Amino acid sequence: MAQVVHRGRWTLEDRAEGFYRELPVEVPDGAGALTVRLGFDRSAGVLDLGCFGPAGFRGWSGGARDSFTITPGWATPGYLPGPLEGGIWHVCLGLHRVPADGLEYEVVAEAGPASPPTPPNVSPPPPVRERPPRRDLPAEPGMRWLAGDLHSHTVHSDGTLTVDELACLAAAGGLDFLAVTDHNTVSHHPALAAAGRRAGVLLLPGQEVTRDTGHANAFGDIGWIDFRRPAADWLAETERRGGLLSVNHPLANDCAWRHPMPRRPRFAEIWHWTWQDRRWGGPLAWWLAWDPDVIPLGGSDFHSPAQGRPLGAPTTWVQCPGDDVLAGISAGRIAISSGRDAPLLLRVGDEIVVHGGDGTYLVNPDGGRRVVFGDRRSFRANPGPYRLESSDNSVIALVA
């Protein structure tokens, strides 16, 4: 058993000089497992944890875990199983929160010749509950509206549910699709297709590219995006591989969007769970100031049922040919509502359709208002964003 220990104290100067620090670990040829343990005072600061092998990325757990194991056949969620190449590996630490007097740390890495047994599966896939019927919504010929959520997490980062548990929860809530966007990793991607089939919901592969100055969702089966690079590189690499990049929760506390970008992504998560008082016009104002041509998306940023924030709040609706959700998003056929069964606005051909919005206000792109009478009303559409508001001016639906 080969063991390497790194100890020290990170300071404010260290963090200012470089956010990510890599500690070398030599793994001998033929190793069957690498286990790393990180110790520090969690009441004093926050250190993120990840790993890179000689061939590149092998996993990330951020602040959610203080240890991981990688073997040829299995790995801690957030990390990639596979052969352990002999050579210099690196434990990557993110200096997320460092107090003024510094933060002591210890990293212990052990590379052993034998692969430990696979940890027991803590819970089998849950039973699939009957899903609610789909809503009857008008759509263009050959299209249909699918309900989903574009932002969620599992045990592969800082969520509490397995991929199977999350899929069953989405189906039980009547969602047709769900983007699983764990932080800075793609270790969840291999489990998505089978879990989605079992639950009867389409699970979209995603990665929440996460830095302390802002997060972005990279959608698509495009592999891992290097979060250590500038945000402009996230966009270029995601597009080069055929994916879609969206700015996440641009006004959300300490993870608000602060990355400089010479060229801006086509998408932004305008409606996020942090928009709790929808009389507040901040997200809409940010959108129109950032770029009114940006296509708005919605995401619950679901982590745990214990938080009391359900999947699909908000619900993103995508008008799709068949099940090709990413094609619908790319084409901008998007509508957002506060929930799967809430009133909504749909752009269908040259009309704006208000569904379930009796007694609400339809707000035009120029700010003009009209009262909606009846459960389903259609209006001639102009270019630009429309929104549906309640009598107290709370936003209850949005369409670009």
Side-chain angles (χ1 to χ4, degrees):
M1 177 76 69
Q3 184 182 88
V4 176
V5 179
H6 294 276
R7 295 188 183 93
R9 175 186 290 270
W10 299 117
T11 67
L12 292 178
E13 289 80 4
D14 292 326
R15 190 181 190 278
E17 182 180 314
F19 186 89
Y20 293 108
R21 297 306 180 100
E22 295 189 344
L23 306 178
V25 174
E26 185 170 359
V27 174
D29 290 334
L34 173 65
T35 295
V36 172
R37 294 182 296 275
L38 168 65
F40 65 96
D41 183 356
R42 285 184 171 268
S43 69
V46 178
L47 297 179
D48 293 335
L49 178 63
C51 182
F52 292 83
F57 176 75
R58 290 303 294 262
W60 187 257
S61 48
R65 288 187 169 83
D66 55 15
S67 67
F68 65 81
T69 296
I70 299 173
T71 79
W74 65 270
T76 300
Y79 294 81
L80 304 180
L84 278 71
E85 315 101 296
I88 301 300
W89 289 54
H90 289 91
V91 176
C92 185
L93 300 182
L95 310 188
H96 193 72
R97 293 285 183 271
V98 176
D101 59 350
L103 185 63
E104 292 185 351
Y105 72 94
E106 179 182 78
V107 169
V108 179
E110 295 179 339
S115 178
T118 305
N121 188 4
V122 294
S123 60
V128 178
R129 292 164 48 190
E130 184 177 354
R131 61 175 300 134
R134 288 186 171 89
R135 297 177 69 175
D136 180 21
L137 301 175
E140 297 173 24
M143 301 280 188
R144 60 175 179 162
W145 288 98
L146 298 182
D149 191 331
L150 290 173
H151 194 163
S152 67
H153 298 275
T154 72
V155 294
H156 286 263
S157 59
D158 55 352
T160 63
L161 301 185
T162 65
V163 172
D164 271 297
E165 290 169 339
L166 187 70
C168 288
L169 188 64
L175 298 183
D176 301 302
F177 67 88
L178 177 68
V180 186
T181 54
D182 280 309
H183 294 282
N184 289 343
T185 190
V186 293
S187 63
H188 54 294
H189 286 193
L192 297 180
R197 284 193 298 270
R198 284 190 287 267
V201 63
L202 177 64
L203 297 183
L204 302 176
Q207 173 190 339
E208 186 168 17
V209 193
T210 303
R211 289 288 300 261
D212 59 320
T213 47
H215 305 177
N217 273 343
F219 300 115
D221 189 12
I222 59 173
W224 178 72
I225 300 297
D226 193 342
F227 57 89
R228 300 168 299 173
R229 302 289 303 162
D233 291 357
W234 306 351
L235 176 60
E237 192 62 17
T238 297
E239 291 181 342
R240 186 187 70 80
R241 301 182 196 177
L244 306 175
L245 190 79
S246 170
V247 170
N248 279 357
H249 42 62
L251 296 180
N253 301 325
D254 66 340
C255 55
W257 187 259
R258 288 161 284 166
H259 294 281
M261 296 197 76
R263 183 173 65 87
R264 294 173 174 175
R266 295 176 54 223
F267 307 93
E269 187 184 63
I270 300 303
W271 198 326
H272 180 258
W273 76 262
T274 51
W275 195 14
Q276 294 177 330
D277 184 351
R278 293 192 298 276
R279 296 170 300 177
W280 177 56
L284 299 180
W286 182 92
W287 170 27
L288 298 178
W290 168 263
D291 185 347
D293 291 330
V294 160
I295 298 168
L297 304 180
S300 70
D301 202 352
F302 179 88
H303 285 74
S304 168
Q307 292 177 321
R309 302 193 300 265
L311 280 172
T315 296
T316 299
W317 299 83
V318 183
Q319 189 176 207
C320 304
D323 293 328
D324 197 342
V325 173
L326 290 182
I329 294 174
S330 182
R333 296 188 292 265
I334 300 290
I336 310 173
S337 63
S338 60
R340 187 256 187 196
D341 297 316
L344 69 151
L345 289 174
L346 304 173
R347 188 181 286 273
V348 182
D350 59 358
E351 292 185 329
I352 290 289
V353 180
V354 183
H355 189 89
D358 185 33
T360 61
Y361 289 112
L362 176 64
V363 184
N364 301 330
D366 62 4
R369 293 169 178 265
R370 69 190 92 178
V371 179
V372 178
F373 296 104
D375 184 62
R376 181 180 293 187
R377 290 291 307 277
S378 298
F379 304 88
R380 184 169 182 81
N382 294 316
Y386 287 78
R387 65 184 185 272
L388 207 60
E389 293 186 355
S390 62
S391 58
D392 67 351
N393 297 331
S394 293
V395 176
I396 53 179
L398 182 67
V399 66

